Amino acid sequence: MLNKALATMLVFFALGTAPLGNHASAQSTEQKLCPVMGFDITRELFTDYKGKRIYFCCPDCPPKFKKSPEKYMKKLLDNGVVPEDAPQA
């Protein structure tokens, strides 16, 4: 019985998913939190980055995002957020 449970856990970890824990879901979700401060977003505060629209909670966050955009994009993606496409000009 223990060997079967251990084998099941190894399969989950080998596939990159854990059976338990607080991990991002496999489904993508819309952005609700600011990637810089972690507070609720305001849709009037945004920047477009590599074709994606990123929303923020306050005017202080866009300049911080622009200093390290890949860091904050990774944070969004790690949390299962797929930013919406920026409108085409």
Side-chain angles (χ1 to χ4, degrees), residues 2 6 8-9 19 32 43 47 49 54 58 65 67 80-81:
L2 181 60
L6 181 59
T8 302
M9 287 180 64
K32 295 179 183 173
R43 286 204 153 314
T47 192
Y49 178 73
I54 311 302
C58 68
F65 175 88
K67 287 183 181 178
V81 174

Side-chain angles (χ1 to χ4, degrees), residues 42-71:
T42 300
R43 286 204 153 314
E44 292 79 30
L45 293 170
F46 62 86
T47 192
D48 293 337
Y49 178 73
K50 291 188 175 181
K52 299 295 181 181
R53 181 146 290 179
I54 311 302
Y55 296 97
F56 303 99
C57 64
C58 68
D60 294 334
C61 292
K64 291 178 183 177
F65 175 88
K66 289 176 183 178
K67 287 183 181 178
S68 301
E70 291 301 321
K71 168 185 167 182

Side-chain angles (χ1 to χ4, degrees), residues 10-28:
L10 289 174
V11 168
F12 278 112
F13 286 111
L15 294 174
T17 58
L20 301 173
N22 190 16
H23 297 278
S25 74
Q27 294 181 330
S28 63

